[in-house]
Amino acid sequence: MPSHFFLMIVFALLVSLVFAVLVKDDPRARLRFGAIVFAAFVGGALALGWLMYPLPL
Amino acid sequence: MREPTAARPRARDIALLCVVAWAVPGAAHLWLRQSFKGIVFLVVLPLMFVIGIALQGRLFPFEPASPLVALAFLAELSIGVPFLIAEALKLGAGQVTAAAFEYANAFLIVSGLLNLLVMLDAYDVALGRKPRNPPGEPR
């Protein structure tokens, strides 16, 4: 059974790949946009995870 | 300013394109000769659906009494043929006690929702709202 973190990385990778190919046409722009979306997914999930760490109070 | 197009596509062709785009993710882009986009969608979207099934996600039924379940059904249905195959094979019963159950549902639902975006993109390309030969596509 893969870890939740691994599944989150796979999910973020696949979704950011589709977004990048869908939204941008230039290969360099795709790479940049995909990297930003991927970082936003993973960074956002980690930030939310830490924010929710003390819950339930 | 919009580029002039050679001929405006017929409504029937557009409708057929949308049905193809729904049924097989990426097929409409392959039809429109956007091979890179088509192959990426053809691989990634069914892969996400398969991951969702393998992680014991649930294929939701259409239950109008439960709006969220009905919406989840519509989202999963949007992936097209992979959904129909999984239904026919009685996959997607869903194991709510599985450790990755919610992740699996996220994979299943998001794969369908992404295919809706792919359908819209193919529609825009067919109507000439987006370029048919962008720099990222081989001529």
Side-chain angles (χ1 to χ4, degrees), chain B residues 44-114:
Chain B
V44 172
L45 297 182
L47 175 66
M48 288 183 71
F49 189 82
V50 168
I51 291 173
I53 291 290
L55 292 173
Q56 299 182 297
R58 183 181 179 204
L59 293 180
F60 291 94
F62 184 67
E63 286 182 10
S66 306
L68 290 180
V69 173
L71 286 173
F73 165 80
L74 291 176
E76 290 177 346
L77 179 66
S78 301
I79 192 70
V81 168
F83 176 86
L84 301 179
I85 292 173
E87 278 283 336
L89 295 176
K90 307 276 185 214
L91 301 171
Q95 181 68 40
V96 75
T97 55
F101 179 69
E102 296 298 341
Y103 270 90
N105 289 334
F107 272 98
L108 290 173
I109 290 169
V110 171
S111 67
L113 295 177
L114 286 175

Side-chain angles (χ1 to χ4, degrees), chain A residues 1-2 4-5 7-8 10-11 14-15 17-19 21-27 30, chain B residues 36-37 40-41 44-45 48 51 55 99-100 103 106-107 110 117 121 130-131 134 136:
Chain A
M1 170 66 209
H4 284 190
F5 182 74
L7 289 175
M8 189 261 286
V10 171
F11 181 85
L14 295 177
V15 174
L17 173 63
V18 172
F19 273 141
V21 172
L22 205 53
V23 173
K24 300 289 182 184
D25 290 327
D26 177 62
R30 277 178 178 160
Chain B
F36 180 75
K37 271 186 172 182
V40 168
F41 300 146
V44 172
L45 297 182
M48 288 183 71
I51 291 173
L55 292 173
Y103 270 90
F107 272 98
V110 171
L117 292 179
D121 187 71
K130 283 189 168 184

Side-chain angles (χ1 to χ4, degrees), chain A residues 19-48:
Chain A
F19 273 141
V21 172
L22 205 53
V23 173
K24 300 289 182 184
D25 290 327
D26 177 62
R28 288 179 68 87
R30 277 178 178 160
L31 194 63
R32 183 177 153 78
F33 184 77
I36 290 171
V37 173
F38 176 74
F41 266 124
V42 175
L46 290 177
L48 277 174

